[in-house]
Amino acid sequence: MPIKYPDRRDVLLGGFLGLVFPVLPSFGKTAQGSGEFNALLEQFMAEKLDLSPELVTSLGLDTGKRRRARRLLDDRSLAAVKANSVLIDRQLERLRTFDRSQLNEAENITYDSLLFQFSTQKEADRKFSYGAISIGRPYVVTQMAGAYTTIPDLLENKHEINTEADVEAYLSRLEAFAETLDQETSRIGLDAERGVIPPDFIIDKICEQLKAFRDRPVESAPLVVTLDQKCRAANLPQSSVEHAIRIYRDNVVPAIDRQHDALAGLRDRAGSEAGMGRLPDGLKYYDLCLKKSATLTVNARELHQRGLNLVTQATKELDALLSSLGFKEGPLSDRLKSARRDERFVYSDTEQGRQQVMHELTMWLDQAENAFTDIFHTIPKTEVVIRPVPSYLAMGSPIGYYEDPSLDGTRPGIFYINLDNFGDTPKWLLPTILYHEAIPGHHFQQALVQELAKLPLIRQIMWFEAYGEGWAFYAEKLAVEAGLYDHNPWGRVGYLWLYLLRAARLVVDTGLHAIGWGRDQAIQWMIDNIWADQTMATTEVERYCIHPG
């Protein structure tokens, strides 16, 4: 039976009433309470920015009265976590006491969006005292998240340097980086006292990445090289680079070592159980993660069965397509493995092979941009660029992911591609990954929302997995409708296989966290049922372990 791919109505209705869809109703119609409501929204946003100088810089707002933010990093202490919880409580109370009968249609959507986010987070804060600030990250530091991943990205890609004052701000942040790491390390210890420790295999991966980060010679450390390059580009003196070296050597490296040693010291207590059942009230935590991601109450076991059904359907579709392309003999697993290893579709795991990946991705991006410029009435003014995942983060990163542009469009959207061990990734997977992450997927959605001047700022930065990932999934189908696979039938194999992967995620995520699967069982299921290679299956499963739901 052919797969029922989502149509436009499925995506919009499944995305929490189009929470961030760029075509929004009634912006020109002002109801009586609009001015008061907009003032409340501005206050909420100002309070959020006051707590997060990193968000200020990420949005490109660290100018004028918020210029001091570019010298600071977010407070990651336990006190800051509690302050954020108090703020959510107060904002929720103010929202609930507002008379929403005064609001127009668009404003009511904003009201419902905030109500869901605030109330879900308050529920998490009331029931659980561990993990990151936001629900969905039960561990303070993981192979994909933590100051050691976010601060280098902030300083390299978002902290602009045009003046000597910008250099001083960079050095101030570099110095604060050590304190930020220690704040996280302290919370790792506090969570461990509550019985919340990442699985041993996750600790191993974090420690290996921390070690890769700190083991580079100080002079070639990413945060030092970044400052050197930015000073040269701005024709500023290089004397600050020596200062950066001293800060990095004397402050940052010891803090990295302290975090590494704290995690390594917990390994013997960690155990290898993968799912949320290992944590205090972990199954309830998982239910709340599902609610947050789906924006509705769902049953984990029903999701598990739905995933199994979709895997069966997708397998039949993929079987038929491979047969039509000449791979007819033998079990589907053998044929798909042969297609992965076919020399036509294998990149060499060399510098030349990585350059070929970047070249072909750029070609497919240009083709997508040309195709969808004619299809969409409105496209983002902000461009999207392709960059490799930093080598010290590659081990824990997925194949690709997207990062939003700045609000003013001066910093582009970024599609990051993981070039580590790329010899295992067949060429036919990449076009669909690009359509999902960049054009017309996450980039079109996120950049367009940020360019909607009439949309309140707090709405511009909201993220709902149900809609955001639903849109990117639908964007893959748009690429089919736009004819981007017409001359690339093997690209359609990648399209169907990635559909199969997403169906498998329903099975594996619920298997790990609601049914009691172990890591090795989940990895083997991925290998046996969607024929992922060992590296991809491991990366995917370990991603679900630290991001339940």
Side-chain angles (χ1 to χ4, degrees), residues 433-452:
I433 293 172
L434 182 138
Y435 304 143
H436 179 105
E437 302 293 344
I439 294 176
H442 289 316
H443 179 65
F444 266 25
Q445 178 220 346
Q446 292 297 96
L448 278 173
V449 167
Q450 291 186 359
E451 292 173 11
L452 284 172

Side-chain angles (χ1 to χ4, degrees), residues 396-457:
S397 294
I399 295 177
Y401 58 90
Y402 175 76
E403 187 171 280
D404 295 354
S406 59
L407 283 173
D408 61 5
T410 57
R411 187 183 68 250
I414 303 172
F415 167 38
Y416 282 101
I417 185 72
N418 191 342
L419 298 178
D420 191 48
N421 294 323
F422 218 83
D424 295 330
T425 304
K427 182 182 298 187
W428 40 259
L429 275 184
L430 293 188
T432 301
I433 293 172
L434 182 138
Y435 304 143
H436 179 105
E437 302 293 344
I439 294 176
H442 289 316
H443 179 65
F444 266 25
Q445 178 220 346
Q446 292 297 96
L448 278 173
V449 167
Q450 291 186 359
E451 292 173 11
L452 284 172
K454 292 185 178 181
L455 193 66
L457 179 55

Side-chain angles (χ1 to χ4, degrees), residues 142-146 148-149 206 209 396-398 539 542-543 546-547:
T142 69
Q143 76 274 25
M144 295 179 68
Y148 81 101
T149 70
I206 303 169
Q209 292 194 159
S397 294
T539 299
E542 292 180 349
R543 177 182 177 186
I546 54 132
H547 284 312

Side-chain angles (χ1 to χ4, degrees), residues 2-17:
I3 297 167
K4 181 185 182 296
Y5 297 104
D7 62 19
R8 293 164 178 79
R9 180 173 298 180
D10 292 331
V11 172
L12 293 179
L13 295 180
F16 195 62
L17 304 178

